[in-house]
Amino acid sequence: MSEKTPLLHYRLSEASCSEEPAGVLPVPPSRDRGQSAAGPRRGPASTSQPKKLNTFFGVVVPTLLSMFSVVVFLRIGFMVGQCGLYQAIAMYVVAYFIISMTVLSVCAISTNGALDAGGAYYMISRALGPEFGGSIGLMFFLGNVCASALFVLGLVEAIESTFGMPEDGTLPISPHQVLPSGYWWSLLYGTAVALLCLLVCLVGANIYASATFVIFLVVILSLGTVFVSFFSVRPHNVTLPGSAFLPGNTSSPMARFTGFKLDTLLGNLGDGYGVDYTTGRMMNFATVFAVVFNGCTGIMTGSNISGDLKNPSYSIPRGTITAVIFTFIIYNLLMVMAACTCDRVLLQRDYNYLSEINVWHPFVTVGVYCSTLSAAMSSLIGASRILYALAKDHLFGRVLSPAKRTSCGGNPWVAVLLSWFLVQLVLFAGKVNTIAGISTIFFLLVYAAVDLACLALEWASAPNFRPTFRYFTWHTCLLGIMGCAIMMFLINAIYASASIAFMLLLLLLIHYLSPTSSWGYISQALIFHQVRKYLLMLDVRKDHVKFWRPQVLLMVSNPRTAVGLISFINDIKKSGLYVLGHVQLGELNTLPSDPLQSQYDSWLSLVDHLNIKAFVNLTLATSVRHGVQHLLFISGLGGMRPNTLVLGFYDNNPPEDKLLGLVLSSSGPRDPEDQQQQKPFHFPSLRGDAATGKSMDPQEYVAVIADAIKMLKNVALARYFHDFQRTRALSPAEKGAGVYVDVWPVNLLRPDSSSYVDTCSLFLLQLACILNMVRAWRRARLRLFLCVEEGRSLRGTKEKLGQLLKELRIKATVYTVPWDSQVALHWQRQSRAEKRPLDPTQELPEQEEDNQEEPEVEEEEEEYVNSFPSNGARLSDDYLLAVNRLILDQPCLSPAVRFLYLPRPPADTRRYTTYLRQLDLLTLNLGPTLLIHGVTPVLTTDL
């Protein structure tokens, strides 16, 4: 719900005579001399504000008149005559059950916070979000437009039944029948009535409230005479109107008012569906219910003008419930009395029968005129308020922007004019019963949406959903939704389906075109509720290798240089957790506030702009190493924690701002300076020299890798992704050439260990396969390179690996690569070290003079490091460069990306710099490359 305080309730002053939306407090007058003239005019604005309406005048009276309207005087007899007393009572029980469930939901939502203008639209939009709110709000607006036209036509029908001349040309039976009849004459009378409603609504809500109170007194007086007439008027014959006789009908033109008789009651208990003489259509339960339900659709009248109420949260529940109970009692009493006193012919063929049996005929006529006129005005003013609220929220852009204009008294006169224009169009339908079905479908759809909003708030268990009205549960909301949905399709399945389809179309349109709102979305609360439940169910003790997926923490120093890498890792995550991590150096105890809070918006905007599915996690630490440890410890929840750490490679490539270029290209040709001011990213600018801009040294960088492996996290080092673009990588330079992903599953820093089935090499295969499963990468072909020394069976090794790939369901082409010359360089270095004499006076060959100059400490380090089989030691630059050339010299085109085996860092921390230099030489000029070290099993051949 909205967080507005009661002071922000739909206040309109002289300052809001333009397009300024209601709900904004007027700006206090300036004390400058230059504006002294404006000051006196603004000062009395608060005292000249229109008075707000209380519960009785603002809710009870309009709701009663809307619910009575046409039905109470013109359709009670039609209902009993067509379906009988039993079904009539059942219809009202069903109808009032549906609206009672909705009334409970309305009361709950309206007492949960400050309610602004817009009524049901405001409730739905602030609970379910702008998509549902806008689509349902527009449907509610159209429903009120149809209801206003319905009541106008009901008034015209009553006027013609009293003053209209017979259409068949026969002589009038009453001297008062002086008005010409017919379709176009009815349209003219309806236009005149609609203009009268327009004039009253243009004046404002207070004049409308005063008028409705007078009308209310007249209607209550008319109803009183009706109840008296059932007991006081003697039985007599009633002349049926000429229009009640359809072509070919030879029935008597007379019907009987019998007074209270048992035989009359027994004759009206069962159904007797016939032809509706106003439309010529055969009636059934659904069509009668559609007409009758319009007598229940006024429950939202009070909430529609919530912006004009003194205290909407207090008035709407009490006023609406009072009106619903009162109308239910009156309707049932009228049905029972009509069934006991009027024969079926009179009820079916004279909708104005109450006037014929009244003690004084004009009483009922005046009551019909007043109730229908009031209902038409309330629906028109309700429609205008909904349209005004839709325009204020900018959900439909400039299409509805004129409807925001208000008069100096706060009346949205443009919205009133637009609503009246649509009412005038609906009047061309011509008959009450024709519009009734459409109007009923619209209202049922809105009622279902209100119940859905209340149900969602209740199920979300939001702490701020604390309505003071507690006489509801999720059961009542669910029953209301089901009742509305069932009755919609029973009334007219075609209309119901079309209205739902139209609502869904509007929902999608608003979702893609409307700006982001700050109302709060119930979907977020529901998602939170469900995610928390399923996170608790995601037990890490039940994890299985069959369902392993990468959950990646990508460390980003500055997103300006990492756009390509961020997008690539999004492809490789395979629906797993993806977290963008960043470490800012600093100590919180030396800062006035947390500097990271202001940066989240920029990072989240980056995620939206790159269209990736990632979370953002920032931390403040004294060193990058400690910051990465923090993120590995705290990122994720339960079974959703990062299992793979991705780092950019530590090199001295000059940084390039790829983010600015991406923003400029996506925004079109604009001035770069203007674009720089408008972009939502506020990341630090790049330094010219990469070496001087680094926040850690090589020793700390390798220590981060070692820490992650100790924490049983897989590690990937990404090199040459600063210029990576997926579109370009997947579009080969030569036409018809393929796109390749190369995998080297051998530890190239350990040529004496050529195993390709260890955990790390299988991890490489899994990641490459995952990348190949992404839609954009499905056309890429995997190439698996197996380095084999001479003397081993190349064919046998290839077949063995091919069988393994087949069992693992990985489609890849295996290439065996002889690397004897490269391995020879390695063993040559090893033999030299072994042959080095211990006597320093002994002469050495000329080519070993460089080795003689190495200090003794270096010799000890090499011997110490070499004792750990996982470390790459005693590797000459010649060997590393030779392996690098081996990788580069493979046939066919260069691959889009390469996957290489990443050995563990050496156990001796003094060798970290040497280890990093070896990786640098190994991957020199290879293009986009991932060096990967896996520590967890990720592949299985089990079903």
Side-chain angles (χ1 to χ4, degrees):
M1 294 299 296
S2 173
E3 296 181 357
K4 294 181 180 179
T5 62
L7 292 176
L8 299 180
H9 272 187
Y10 185 54
R11 292 194 174 176
L12 295 166
S13 64
E14 293 182 0
S16 63
C17 296
S18 60
E19 295 186 7
E20 189 69 28
V24 180
L25 290 175
V27 179
S30 174
R31 296 186 178 182
D32 296 342
R33 287 187 178 182
Q35 298 180 356
S36 60
R41 285 198 299 267
R42 290 188 181 184
S46 59
T47 59
S48 63
Q49 278 188 345
K51 294 181 179 180
K52 298 287 185 176
L53 305 176
N54 58 21
T55 302
F56 183 74
F57 288 101
V59 181
V60 176
V61 172
T63 305
L64 279 175
L65 293 177
S66 295
M67 297 183 73
F68 280 150
S69 62
V70 176
V71 176
V72 70
F73 291 113
L74 296 181
R75 289 298 183 267
I76 285 291
F78 158 79
M79 183 178 180
V80 177
Q82 293 287 346
C83 59
L85 182 61
Y86 287 154
Q87 290 190 20
I89 293 176
M91 282 185 182
Y92 265 101
V93 169
V94 172
Y96 270 80
F97 174 79
I98 293 173
I99 67 168
S100 297
M101 299 300 101
T102 305
V103 166
L104 295 180
S105 300
V106 170
C107 295
I109 298 177
S110 62
T111 59
N112 189 52
L115 191 63
D116 209 336
Y121 158 71
Y122 189 86
M123 299 177 192
I124 297 170
S125 62
R126 269 50 178 184
L128 298 182
E131 292 91 351
F132 274 99
S135 56
I136 294 295
L138 189 59
M139 303 291 282
F140 195 29
F141 164 72
L142 295 176
N144 275 277
V145 167
C146 292
S148 182
L150 173 76
F151 299 139
V152 169
L153 290 176
L155 177 56
V156 171
E157 182 182 305
I159 293 174
E160 287 186 332
S161 66
T162 305
F163 300 103
M165 292 187 297
E167 295 184 39
D168 55 4
T170 59
L171 294 176
I173 60 177
S174 171
H176 304 294
Q177 294 179 309
V178 294
L179 295 178
S181 300
Y183 171 79
W184 294 106
W185 285 106
S186 298
L187 182 61
L188 178 63
Y189 303 149
T191 301
V193 174
L195 282 173
L196 176 61
C197 296
L198 173 65
L199 293 176
V200 175
C201 293
L202 284 176
V203 174
N206 281 277
I207 300 300
Y208 159 75
S210 302
T212 53
F213 179 66
V214 176
I215 293 173
F216 173 73
L217 294 178
V218 175
V219 171
I220 293 299
L221 178 61
S222 300
L223 280 175
T225 62
V226 167
F227 283 107
V228 171
S229 299
F230 281 118
F231 294 94
S232 61
V233 174
R234 295 181 178 181
H236 63 279
N237 293 329
V238 178
T239 303
L240 299 178
S243 59
F245 295 93
L246 300 172
N249 190 347
T250 58
S251 301
S252 171
M254 304 297 291
R256 183 87 179 156
F257 172 72
T258 64
F260 285 94
K261 283 190 175 182
L262 182 60
D263 293 339
T264 304
L265 175 62
L266 295 176
N268 289 324
L269 289 179
D271 63 86
Y273 292 106
V275 177
D276 175 21
Y277 73 87
T278 62
T279 62
R281 293 174 54 194
M282 186 67 186
M283 293 288 101
N284 54 44
F285 184 91
T287 54
V288 174
F289 183 84
V291 176
V292 171
F293 194 81
N294 278 280
C296 310
T297 55
I299 60 171
M300 294 287 190
T301 306
S303 60
N304 285 347
I305 56 174
S306 54
D308 298 302
L309 300 175
K310 288 181 181 178
N311 190 347
S313 298
Y314 176 87
S315 299
I316 290 176
R318 290 163 176 79
T320 304
I321 292 175
T322 301
V324 168
I325 294 174
F326 184 77
T327 55
F328 181 74
I329 295 172
I330 295 298
Y331 278 138
N332 281 276
L333 287 177
L334 283 175
M335 286 190 300
V336 172
M337 290 185 177
C340 292
T341 58
C342 303
D343 63 24
R344 175 152 290 181
V345 175
L346 176 61
L347 295 176
Q348 283 188 340
R349 299 183 184 175
D350 189 358
Y351 294 163
N352 197 28
Y353 78 101
L354 287 179
S355 177
E356 301 298 332
I357 66 172
N358 199 271
V359 290
W360 190 52
H361 295 180
F363 267 134
V364 173
T365 303
V366 172
V368 171
Y369 295 170
C370 290
S371 62
T372 51
L373 182 64
S374 170
M377 286 191 297
S378 65
S379 296
L380 179 60
I381 200 169
S384 65
R385 294 314 190 262
I386 297 169
L387 184 63
Y388 171 64
L390 284 168
K392 278 201 311 176
D393 290 335
H394 305 284
L395 297 184
F396 294 92
R398 297 181 179 179
V399 177
L400 297 181
S401 58
K404 292 187 295 183
R405 294 183 178 273
T406 60
S407 66
C408 292
N411 189 30
W413 59 273
V414 176
V416 173
L417 286 174
L418 292 174
S419 303
W420 166 80
F421 176 74
L422 292 179
V423 169
Q424 184 63 45
L425 293 180
V426 178
L427 289 178
F428 282 92
K431 296 296 181 181
V432 171
N433 291 2
T434 304
I435 307 173
I438 302 174
S439 177
T440 302
I441 293 294
F442 281 147
F443 280 112
L444 282 171
L445 190 61
V446 172
Y447 295 166
V450 172
D451 290 320
L452 178 62
C454 188
L455 178 66
L457 289 170
E458 179 71 10
W459 274 356
S461 301
N464 283 322
F465 183 60
R466 299 188 298 271
T468 56
F469 182 88
R470 296 302 305 171
Y471 300 102
F472 79 100
T473 65
W474 67 268
H475 305 84
T476 61
C477 302
L478 196 59
L479 287 173
I481 296 172
M482 295 172 58
C484 291
I486 292 172
M487 293 315 303
M488 281 173 59
F489 284 92
L490 284 180
I491 291 170
N492 195 311
I494 297 177
Y495 287 169
S497 302
S499 61
I500 293 174
F502 181 57
M503 182 198 71
L504 294 176
L505 181 64
L506 288 173
L507 190 147
L508 293 175
L509 184 68
I510 297 173
H511 177 74
Y512 286 106
L513 298 182
S514 68
T516 303
S517 69
S518 58
W519 305 339
Y521 293 79
I522 190 62
S523 59
Q524 298 300 307
L526 290 173
I527 291 171
F528 177 87
H529 186 269
Q530 292 301 108
V531 167
R532 183 191 63 85
K533 181 175 73 174
Y534 287 115
L535 275 175
L536 292 173
M537 296 172 61
L538 192 61
D539 192 344
V540 295
R541 295 169 295 182
K542 299 178 182 179
D543 285 346
H544 195 279
V545 66
K546 289 189 297 186
F547 306 109
W548 179 91
R549 66 181 71 241
Q551 304 195 77
V552 182
L553 171 63
L554 171 62
M555 298 304 303
V556 181
S557 175
N558 192 329
R560 297 187 182 279
T561 62
V563 172
L565 179 58
I566 293 173
S567 300
F568 176 77
I569 298 301
N570 184 66
D571 286 341
I572 214 171
K573 70 180 187 303
K574 186 53 179 176
S575 303
L577 179 69
Y578 184 20
V579 180
L580 298 181
H582 173 73
V583 178
Q584 180 166 328
L585 300 180
E587 293 189 37
L588 191 60
N589 58 357
T590 63
L591 299 171
S593 62
D594 184 5
L596 300 177
Q597 298 303 317
S598 60
Q599 300 180 23
Y600 273 99
D601 286 342
S602 293
W603 283 87
L604 295 176
S605 298
L606 173 71
V607 170
D608 295 337
H609 190 77
L610 296 179
N611 194 25
I612 61 175
K613 298 177 180 179
F615 299 94
V616 174
N617 210 345
L618 313 179
T619 188
L620 188 70
T622 55
S623 68
V624 175
R625 182 182 182 183
H626 289 159
V628 175
Q629 289 177 3
H630 294 168
L631 294 178
L632 286 174
F633 278 124
I634 68 175
S635 294
L637 287 173
M640 294 191 68
R641 292 183 178 276
N643 56 29
T644 304
L645 174 67
V646 180
L647 303 171
F649 197 80
Y650 193 98
D651 54 27
N652 294 323
N653 289 331
E656 299 180 25
D657 193 342
K658 299 295 182 179
L659 182 59
L660 179 59
L662 184 64
V663 172
L664 289 173
S665 62
S666 63
S667 303
R670 293 184 181 179
D671 186 3
E673 294 184 0
D674 295 340
Q675 186 66 39
Q676 185 76 11
Q677 294 175 357
Q678 296 177 5
K679 69 180 187 300
F681 313 120
H682 302 284
F683 302 116
S685 58
L686 300 177
R687 300 176 177 86
D689 186 6
T692 59
K694 294 185 180 298
S695 55
M696 59 178 173
D697 55 23
Q699 187 80 10
E700 185 180 4
Y701 177 81
V702 181
V704 170
I705 302 173
D707 292 342
I709 295 176
K710 291 175 184 177
M711 298 170 67
L712 297 181
K713 306 294 183 183
N714 310 297
V715 178
L717 307 183
R719 189 171 193 187
Y720 297 118
F721 279 89
H722 59 278
D723 199 29
F724 178 82
Q725 294 182 10
R726 186 173 70 176
T727 305
R728 186 176 61 187
L730 296 176
S731 301
E734 298 181 10
K735 187 175 181 181
V739 178
Y740 301 101
V741 175
D742 287 0
V743 182
W744 295 76
V746 178
N747 185 355
L748 298 174
L749 298 189
R750 291 278 303 173
D752 53 336
S753 174
S754 57
S755 173
Y756 53 85
V757 291
D758 64 353
T759 300
C760 186
S761 58
L762 292 178
F763 189 85
L764 264 71
L765 288 175
Q766 179 74 313
L767 285 190
C769 181
I770 288 173
L771 180 65
N772 197 217
M773 295 169 68
V774 178
R775 178 174 298 180
W777 291 85
R778 283 179 184 173
R779 295 184 179 180
R781 285 180 274 179
L782 295 184
R783 298 191 301 184
L784 187 61
F785 292 92
L786 182 61
C787 298
V788 182
E789 296 180 51
E790 186 179 355
R792 297 190 180 185
S793 174
L794 301 181
R795 183 178 177 182
T797 304
K798 184 176 180 179
E799 291 178 355
K800 189 175 179 181
L801 183 59
Q803 182 62 28
L804 177 63
L805 294 176
K806 185 177 180 180
E807 293 177 359
L808 295 174
R809 292 92 59 203
I810 296 177
K811 187 177 181 180
T813 305
V814 180
Y815 295 87
T816 54
V817 181
W819 66 331
D820 297 81
S821 59
Q822 288 79 15
V823 174
L825 291 174
H826 167 69
W827 289 115
Q828 182 180 4
R829 173 69 183 267
Q830 292 285 82
S831 61
R832 287 178 181 176
E834 293 173 0
K835 293 179 180 179
R836 180 171 297 147
L838 298 177
D839 187 1
T841 61
Q842 184 179 353
E843 295 184 2
L844 295 173
E846 184 177 354
Q847 60 269 23
E848 297 185 10
E849 289 181 359
D850 294 337
N851 292 336
Q852 184 187 14
E853 296 175 0
E854 294 181 2
E856 186 177 354
V857 176
E858 183 68 19
E859 286 287 329
E860 295 176 356
E861 287 182 9
E862 289 192 4
E863 292 177 2
Y864 172 75
V865 171
N866 198 38
S867 64
F868 292 86
S870 62
N871 299 322
R874 296 184 180 179
L875 297 177
S876 65
D877 292 352
D878 292 338
Y879 166 76
L880 294 170
L881 293 175
V883 173
N884 178 263
R885 285 194 301 272
L886 174 69
I887 298 173
L888 287 172
D889 292 343
Q890 291 309 307
C892 300
L893 296 175
S894 298
V897 64
R898 288 184 173 91
F899 290 80
L900 299 186
Y901 191 112
L902 175 67
R904 288 180 69 101
D908 184 5
T909 59
R910 294 172 294 180
R911 295 285 298 169
Y912 280 178
T913 304
T914 304
Y915 169 80
L916 185 58
R917 183 172 177 275
Q918 292 173 353
L919 298 180
D920 180 50
L921 293 176
L922 178 66
T923 58
L924 190 65
N925 299 323
L926 289 186
T929 303
L930 275 183
L931 286 159
I932 301 171
H933 185 86
V935 297
T936 55
V938 294
L939 284 172
T940 179
T941 57
D942 296 338
L943 181 63

